[in-house]
Amino acid sequence: RVLLAQNVHALEPVNLAVSAVAGLRLADAPRAQFDLPPADVSAMDGYAARAKDLGAGPLPIVGDICAGMPQTRLASGTSARIQTGAEIPIGADVVIPQEQAVSEPGGRVRLRPSSPGSFIRKLGEVCSVGTVLADAGEVITPHLLGLLACAGPALLKVTPRPRIVIV
């Protein structure tokens, strides 16, 4: 035992790509490099609209907003279909889930009243630039790996797996 204790030393941390760190321990506390989400986005598939326009009658559907599309603009008195994760259009302040919408003839939809901000995930709600994403010593689980891949640095300082040789 004494011989082993005298000859075994802590492994020096190494910098590895996020794709190679699953199951390892963090050697330092990585910070977010990006806001997550990177903009105000829809939390549901549904309809983007202005809260003040809801409940008075059916609104015309002026388009579809898909995740990854550039931000659009929504005119007052209109609505747009929106996918989960799609950027909220300028002018909209609410998303009504598709399960709560009633389709009307002529490309219109009836949306029940809702408060501004409903079903919208705000810019940086998960984390903002500079937020500590995990503590040093923490094991990189699949859940943590997803967060690090989305918001963390490209290289992470980790403790490598030890290699053991039996002689």
Side-chain angles (χ1 to χ4, degrees):
R1 282 186 187 204
V2 173
L3 182 62
L4 185 60
Q6 290 173 345
N7 291 295
V8 173
H9 306 286
L11 295 171
E12 290 296 316
V14 295
N15 289 315
L16 292 177
V18 173
S19 61
V21 298
L24 298 179
R25 287 192 185 276
L26 289 166
D28 65 3
R31 293 183 177 272
Q33 306 294 301
F34 307 97
D35 292 324
L36 194 61
D40 291 355
V41 297
S42 177
M44 302 286 289
D45 286 350
Y47 294 87
R50 295 172 191 241
K52 66 181 181 74
D53 294 335
L54 302 179
L59 298 173
I61 302 167
V62 296
D64 294 305
I65 305 168
C66 300
M69 289 176 60
Q71 189 176 38
T72 60
R73 184 173 297 279
L74 188 68
S76 183
T78 65
S79 67
R81 284 185 199 89
I82 191 164
Q83 289 181 349
T84 303
E87 198 166 339
I88 300 298
I90 297 166
D93 62 1
V94 67
V95 172
I96 304 301
Q98 64 186 8
E99 298 83 3
Q100 297 176 8
V102 178
S103 294
E104 300 268 330
R108 298 171 76 76
V109 65
R110 188 173 299 276
L111 304 172
R112 67 173 62 157
S114 189
S115 303
S118 295
F119 297 102
I120 294 175
R121 290 191 311 129
K122 294 295 201 180
L123 166 91
E125 186 175 305
V126 174
C127 64
S128 56
V129 172
T131 301
V132 174
L133 299 173
D135 295 325
E138 196 168 331
V139 174
I140 302 171
T141 62
H143 176 76
L144 178 55
L145 184 60
L147 178 62
L148 293 168
C150 289
L155 292 175
L156 294 166
K157 186 174 277 195
V158 295
T159 303
R161 282 188 177 89
R163 289 187 285 158
I164 299 172
V165 177
I166 300 175
V167 180

